[in-house]
Coordinates of all heavy atoms in Angstrom, one line a residue:
A251 N 30.0 -15.2 31.7 CA 30.9 -15.9 32.6 C 32.2 -15.1 32.7 O 32.9 -15.2 33.7 CB 31.1 -17.3 32.3
S393 N -13.9 16.6 12.3 CA -12.8 17.1 11.5 C -11.7 17.7 12.4 O -10.6 18.1 12.0 CB -13.2 18.1 10.5 OG -13.8 19.2 11.0
N439 N 26.9 -13.6 -7.7 CA 25.5 -13.7 -7.7 C 24.9 -12.4 -8.4 O 23.6 -12.3 -8.5 CB 24.9 -13.8 -6.3 CG 25.3 -15.1 -5.7 OD1 25.5 -16.1 -6.4 ND2 25.4 -15.2 -4.3
A465 N -8.7 1.8 -12.0 CA -9.4 2.8 -11.3 C -10.1 3.8 -12.2 O -11.2 4.3 -11.9 CB -8.5 3.4 -10.2
L485 N -20.3 13.5 -11.0 CA -18.8 13.8 -11.0 C -18.3 13.4 -9.6 O -17.2 12.8 -9.6 CB -18.6 15.3 -11.3 CG -17.1 15.7 -11.5 CD1 -16.4 14.9 -12.5 CD2 -17.0 17.2 -11.7
T495 N -11.6 2.5 -5.7 CA -11.3 1.3 -6.5 C -9.9 1.2 -6.8 O -9.5 0.1 -7.3 CB -12.0 1.3 -7.8 OG1 -11.7 2.5 -8.5 CG2 -13.6 1.3 -7.6
P541 N -7.0 -9.3 -16.5 CA -5.9 -10.1 -17.1 C -5.1 -9.4 -18.2 O -3.9 -9.7 -18.4 CB -6.7 -11.4 -17.7 CG -7.9 -11.4 -16.8 CD -8.2 -10.0 -16.5

Side-chain angles (χ1 to χ4, degrees):
S393 60
N439 296 332
L485 185 60
T495 57

